[in-house]
Amino acid sequence: MTESFRVMQIGFGSLGRHISSTILKRENLELVSVVDANPDLVGKSIKVLLQSEVASEISLTDDLKGALKNVPADVALVATSSSIKTVFPTIEACLESGLDVVSICEELSFPYQKSPSIAKNLDQIAKKYGKTVVGTGINPGYLMDLLPIVLTGPCQTVNTIHVTRHMNSSHRRPSFQKKIGTGMTKEEFRKNIDEGRITGHVGLVESIQMIDAALNLGLDEIEELPPEAIIAKKRVTNSFTTIGKGDVLGLKSVGVGRKNGMQIVTLDFQAYAEASPQYDEVIIDGIPKMHQRIEGGVQGDQGTIGMLLNLIPIVINEEPGLKTMKDLPVPRNTSRFWKEN
Ligand SMILES: NC(=O)c1ccc[n+]([C@@H]2O[C@H](COP(=O)([O-])OP(=O)(O)OC[C@H]3O[C@@H](n4cnc5c(N)ncnc54)[C@H](OP(=O)(O)O)[C@@H]3O)[C@@H](O)[C@H]2O)c1
């Protein structure tokens, strides 16, 4: 008999609500509880919050411990924060309650260098309870790390890796447009970035660290350059805001990995309103040379949800511990995978 995977979802923000509605449409997944800290949402019906036709009797709760105790689930999806320190207690509680965990927390995608003690702790807790935890997403988690790693498969030698994402951020969720400074003046952008009030893109360093570890590159320096504002040459209006001429459309963030002063890995992330053309591109200089370009780019929010949900059967069948995307079986669409009894 086939059975669906029971999913607890934690985080019902800009992306979280799309995660819920996608789960509700996916036959091999059953949404059993939704947890979020936002007091405006607590107690409200998911069906009403999503304005959805899909049948769901779930009401949103802020009581994680209660949901873990009272509603049996196989896996927890965590979409609350980019900071590993912030998501740690949530993930710890889920592992201790016997759930596998998949999170889109960017810092969890490769946490060993920035947060070694949290990484060690998570690995130990996961092993103690026989469960698996992994950080994934579209980026970090796929386009700028796992994909270039896999593309080196046929290469006899690899000299340099250059990855570019060029995306029209007007198609992304509001929280994304906000964190890349859309609509701010140049001065506000700089101040907000400097004071950490907006993060810009998070994860370039983790992506380079994953590539370095996967290919044994032996990089001696990994650096993220300060994000640069991309400025509007004319007034632009999108569904998020109106951006005046001279104000900020979005940003360019570059991460580099060097060895003996040579730039080996370059990740060039550009996200701004009305960027055109959109594409994701990997160029590997080696033997043979590899040049792969996804025309139109991968829609980041859809791709993130796809990565997250597709990992559920993979993580449930994985050996216990903290894993990264380079450690897991080949990612794939798993919408036709069912729970084994
Ligand atoms: N890896 C990737 O490729 C990828 C892709 C997309 C997004 N992300 C990341 O995923 C995260 C979620 O994105 P988003 O746009 O949905 O963010 P968001 O709109 O800020 O939503 C986060 C939600 O989580 C809630 N929350 C915060 N801490 C919580 C906790 N401890 N327990 C329960 N709920 C909590 C927040 O409530 P309050 O508002 O009350 O705080 C908010 O409703 C972000 O950190 C984003 O950067 C990663």
Side-chain angles (χ1 to χ4, degrees):
M1 204 183 84
T2 54
E3 246 186 78
S4 45
F5 299 95
R6 296 166 304 178
V7 182
M8 165 183 274
Q9 189 194 320
I10 306 165
F12 192 81
S14 293
L15 202 74
R17 54 192 63 220
H18 293 291
I19 296 171
S20 287
S21 58
T22 312
I23 295 172
L24 288 169
K25 287 182 218 140
R26 192 143 159 164
E27 286 184 3
N28 70 337
L29 303 179
E30 181 194 356
L31 186 64
V32 295
S33 56
V34 180
V35 181
D36 193 286
N38 184 344
D40 297 338
L41 306 177
V42 174
K44 295 202 172 131
S45 141
I46 296 303
K47 195 173 169 171
V48 172
L49 288 169
L50 294 175
Q51 298 171 333
S52 163
E53 297 296 309
V54 187
S56 169
E57 300 308 317
I58 300 168
S59 293
L60 191 142
T61 177
D62 59 356
D63 179 11
L64 174 64
K65 295 231 160 99
L68 284 168
K69 196 168 160 218
N70 299 322
V71 189
D74 301 305
V75 64
L77 305 180
V78 180
T80 53
S81 169
S82 306
S83 150
I84 189 168
K85 209 171 153 197
T86 305
V87 297
F88 175 78
T90 304
I91 295 177
E92 182 185 34
C94 294
L95 293 169
E96 285 175 354
S97 296
L99 274 64
D100 291 293
V101 179
V102 189
S103 175
I104 52 172
C105 167
E106 289 91 337
E107 288 185 356
L108 183 66
S109 64
F110 201 84
Y112 306 104
Q113 269 137 298
K114 216 184 260 178
S115 311
S117 59
I118 297 184
K120 192 171 166 203
N121 219 343
L122 277 176
D123 188 51
Q124 284 172 346
I125 298 166
K127 284 180 175 148
K128 180 173 171 193
Y129 291 92
K131 295 291 147 188
T132 310
V133 51
V134 65
T136 191
I138 198 66
N139 177 29
Y142 186 72
L143 284 173
M144 292 184 118
D145 36 47
L146 188 66
L147 188 59
I149 290 167
V150 171
L151 283 171
T152 65
C155 293
Q156 297 170 30
T157 60
V158 172
N159 301 320
T160 60
I161 298 175
H162 194 121
V163 188
T164 306
R165 286 193 77 194
H166 191 245
M167 83 175 76
N168 178 356
S169 56
S170 296
H171 299 157
R172 298 295 303 270
R173 65 194 189 281
S175 58
F176 179 83
Q177 298 192 52
K178 189 172 167 201
K179 78 176 178 182
I180 61 167
T182 310
M184 290 181 180
T185 63
K186 275 188 277 190
E187 296 70 29
E188 283 168 348
F189 175 86
R190 188 46 51 210
K191 196 167 180 313
N192 276 279
I193 288 277
D194 290 348
E195 291 174 1
R197 270 187 276 136
I198 58 168
T199 58
H201 177 67
V202 181
L204 291 180
V205 166
E206 284 79 3
S207 288
I208 299 176
Q209 287 168 344
M210 196 193 300
I211 295 171
D212 186 25
L215 304 185
N216 255 338
L217 293 175
L219 299 176
D220 47 40
E221 193 185 6
I222 294 176
E223 181 188 14
E224 184 175 337
L225 309 180
E228 287 170 34
I230 297 182
I231 301 302
K233 295 198 174 85
K234 59 179 178 56
R235 187 183 163 92
V236 171
T237 299
N238 67 13
S239 58
F240 175 63
T241 191
T242 292
I243 305 140
K245 184 178 171 189
D247 289 344
V248 175
L249 291 169
L251 55 69
K252 173 181 165 88
S253 272
V254 177
V256 294
R258 302 187 189 90
K259 185 173 183 178
N260 301 328
M262 296 270 295
Q263 198 157 311
I264 310 293
V265 180
T266 308
L267 304 186
D268 179 354
F269 176 93
Q270 299 182 46
Y272 56 97
E274 306 312 303
S276 179
Q278 295 194 84
Y279 60 90
D280 298 314
E281 186 173 66
V282 181
I283 300 174
I284 298 168
D285 178 51
I287 301 174
K289 288 186 191 303
M290 306 288 282
H291 187 166
Q292 177 260 5
R293 181 166 157 124
I294 302 175
E295 298 294 351
V298 177
Q299 208 288 342
D301 298 330
Q302 291 172 359
T304 300
I305 296 169
M307 293 298 297
L308 183 68
L309 302 190
N310 284 331
L311 269 192
I312 291 172
I314 293 178
V315 158
I316 284 176
N317 288 314
E318 182 60 28
E319 292 292 309
L322 169 67
K323 307 286 172 182
T324 72
M325 288 305 293
K326 76 173 180 54
D327 310 319
L328 297 178
V330 179
R332 68 205 72 179
N333 176 277
T334 59
S335 58
R336 294 175 192 81
F337 286 46
W338 299 85
K339 202 156 87 179
E340 286 166 22
N341 295 307

